[in-house]
Amino acid sequence: MQNMLITGGCGFIGANFIRYLLTESDFKGRIVNVDKLTYAGNPENLADIENDFENRYVFIKDDICDGIRMNEIFENYAIDSICHFAAESHVDRSIVQPDAFIQTNIVGTFNLLEAARSRQSQITRFHHISTDEVYGSLGQEGYFTETTPYKPNSPYSASKASSDHLMRAYYKTYGLPMTISNCSNNYGPYQFPEKLIPLMILNGFEGTSLPVYGDGRNVRDWLYVTDHCKAIWTIMKHGKTGEVYNVGGDNEMENITIVEMICDILDEINKLSDHRPRRELITFVKDRPGHDRRYAIDFTKLNRELDWTPEASFETGIRDTIEWYLANRKWVERVKSGEYQDWIKAHY
Ligand code: NAD
Ligand code: TYD
């Protein structure tokens, strides 16, 4: 893997992955990061990387929905491996406006697969980042395994399921050397503050309302983003072609428990001016349509076959995440105001 195409590298997990590959892993090649810079993509996340790794990091502002451009990029940069993060990723947005999810998540993935297929002898690995949400919703018992049937419930998860199926088809039909990872909910630095954890941290810090959907008892499995990055790199290096690996944190929690935990840690760090406990900010709001009740991941395969296990505990990870958001108020303000979009226009 000398010339790795990373798509969506300016988003939350992609930026953490690029940082991990260049500063912590044994990866020795060059990264070509292709990102459209939607509202969720912020090249400032990698401004230091752009400086420090001038010879090993290239950023290209482009859209994976443009098949011609994808072909040119594969050709111009002699791409030999792909790690595909680019996606529309927020379930609530997919409910309101699904179009972009169909385009980017399905058509975009198809374009990358076609570009890879047309020079298949040069491609050593095409890794696709997917989600546990493709499996649908669990009751109180049980776990998703790699053989759980797909049953996506939101336009987001349906579009990710489609892209997973395309990956599989390109392996079965053309022998494209692909792997897929289906991961649970990530948290950590650089996550856009529309998702549960950063939203609650920032609203809680400001002392504004904390909107919890439904009864707050929906369960997600949470994984610290660096652990996900390590899993991806392990799979890219050692995963068997054509295989799917589930990635999870062994850390199932009800939403309300997480929100209360964030409230308590924030109170510990900095009390509200009127000394009210932040738990009083919690407001139960109308439920999300089609809201999946519970996700839980069985990652035995990844653990047994590739010796991966999550390292960060939730207690430590959530504290580190809260501290990161409080220490990076400028980043937060710029991202929330959309101000960085002006910066993007000026720079790219
Ligand atoms: P994100 O929304 O933070 O980032 C997505 C990135 O993709 C952004 O930088 C955006 O600009 C870019 N992008 C969007 N459309 C594009 C297009 N047409 N062309 C090029 N770039 C485009 O998402 P994330 O949370 O970092 O998720 C990354 C991947 O991981 C996604 O595929 C997602 O489905 C998957 N995933 C996320 C989670 C999670 O908890 N966040 C869990 C499991 C899987
Ligand atoms: P989210 O971070 O959007 O991830 P996903 O829907 O992909 O799992 O939401 C995590 C959980 O938190 C989910 O059950 C919905 C819930 N949620 C709220 O209760 N309030 C909120 O404001 C948000 C954004 C999410």
Side-chain angles (χ1 to χ4, degrees):
M1 294 186 257
Q2 280 310 305
N3 292 304
M4 188 190 296
L5 170 67
I6 296 186
T7 68
C10 295
F12 164 46
I13 308 176
N16 276 286
F17 183 66
I18 290 176
R19 199 167 276 288
Y20 167 74
L21 265 197
L22 290 173
T23 64
E24 282 184 59
S25 82
D26 55 358
F27 173 71
K28 298 274 184 286
R30 174 173 65 160
I31 290 172
V32 179
N33 173 15
V34 171
D35 196 300
K36 181 181 172 182
L37 303 181
T38 67
Y39 78 94
N42 182 356
E44 278 184 87
N45 296 353
L46 293 167
D48 56 328
I49 293 285
E50 226 167 330
N51 278 332
D52 298 350
F53 293 90
E54 237 179 300
N55 300 326
R56 294 181 58 208
Y57 174 78
V58 181
F59 171 66
I60 302 172
K61 180 179 183 303
D62 232 312
D63 188 343
I64 60 167
C65 295
D66 184 340
I68 294 170
R69 278 296 295 145
M70 291 309 108
N71 259 309
E72 284 170 7
I73 290 168
F74 270 72
E75 201 54 46
N76 294 346
Y77 293 91
I79 297 301
D80 58 17
S81 44
I82 301 104
C83 188
H84 175 33
F85 293 91
E88 288 292 335
S89 68
H90 189 37
V91 173
D92 292 330
R93 284 180 189 257
S94 84
I95 294 168
V96 179
Q97 224 166 16
D99 322 37
F101 289 73
I102 305 303
Q103 289 307 319
T104 290
N105 300 2
I106 306 177
V107 178
T109 302
F110 165 72
N111 286 335
L112 295 168
L113 282 167
E114 278 292 274
R117 179 166 81 93
S118 67
R119 48 186 67 71
Q120 192 158 312
S121 59
Q122 294 157 38
I123 305 295
T124 54
R125 176 54 54 98
F126 189 140
H127 184 71
H128 177 55
I129 309 298
S130 192
T131 164
D132 59 356
E133 304 192 21
V134 297
Y135 300 121
S137 182
L138 291 164
Q140 295 213 324
E141 303 288 314
Y143 295 88
F144 298 133
T145 72
E146 288 81 0
T147 55
T148 301
Y150 275 31
K151 244 181 169 184
N153 291 320
S154 71
Y156 163 67
S157 54
S159 66
K160 292 297 289 187
S162 307
S163 59
D164 291 6
H165 290 325
L166 284 171
M167 295 297 302
R168 180 188 157 85
Y170 273 63
Y171 167 67
K172 288 282 177 186
T173 306
Y174 308 114
L176 190 79
M178 73 85 191
T179 38
I180 302 175
S181 49
N182 293 90
C183 186
S184 58
N185 288 55
N186 285 214
Y187 69 101
Y190 301 107
Q191 187 167 32
F192 193 83
E194 64 185 352
K195 306 272 167 68
L196 180 75
I197 288 184
L199 183 78
M200 296 299 156
I201 295 173
L202 296 176
N203 284 12
F205 185 71
E206 301 290 349
T208 59
S209 161
L210 304 176
V212 173
Y213 300 162
D215 64 1
R217 317 279 307 251
N218 299 64
V219 172
R220 298 290 182 265
D221 170 56
W222 293 92
L223 178 68
Y224 194 65
V225 64
T226 311
D227 278 329
H228 187 192
C229 294
K230 289 177 184 167
I232 295 165
W233 185 226
T234 302
I235 296 167
M236 288 191 79
K237 282 195 301 184
H238 305 299
K240 218 172 128 210
T241 291
E243 292 289 316
V244 174
Y245 297 88
N246 279 355
V247 188
D250 208 3
N251 180 47
E252 281 181 57
M253 291 179 85
E254 289 185 346
N255 294 337
I256 188 67
T257 309
I258 293 187
V259 177
E260 287 174 351
M261 216 171 149
I262 292 172
C263 287
D264 296 349
I265 297 173
L266 285 171
D267 284 345
E268 221 181 277
I269 295 174
N270 180 347
K271 288 216 173 339
L272 284 174
S273 53
D274 58 8
H275 289 261
R276 267 196 314 154
R278 282 183 168 84
R279 287 185 184 215
E280 288 183 14
L281 301 170
I282 295 173
T283 314
F284 290 93
V285 298
K286 195 162 160 269
D287 210 355
R288 171 190 279 174
H291 197 175
D292 287 335
R293 191 65 179 168
R294 175 171 166 260
Y295 302 144
I297 280 265
D298 178 345
F299 59 87
T300 311
K301 178 176 174 181
L302 182 57
N303 177 252
R304 277 221 193 108
E305 293 182 12
L306 304 184
D307 200 24
W308 175 89
T309 197
E311 289 166 22
S313 75
F314 190 74
E315 286 67 24
T316 315
I318 194 71
R319 270 182 193 274
D320 289 351
T321 305
I322 290 173
E323 277 163 19
W324 188 88
Y325 278 90
L326 299 188
N328 287 277
R329 301 286 302 155
K330 279 240 149 59
W331 181 91
V332 170
E333 275 157 34
R334 279 161 73 76
V335 163
K336 277 175 73 174
S337 70
E339 194 189 314
Y340 74 99
Q341 289 289 352
D342 297 334
W343 186 82
I344 287 167
K345 278 191 205 113
H347 284 75
Y348 297 101

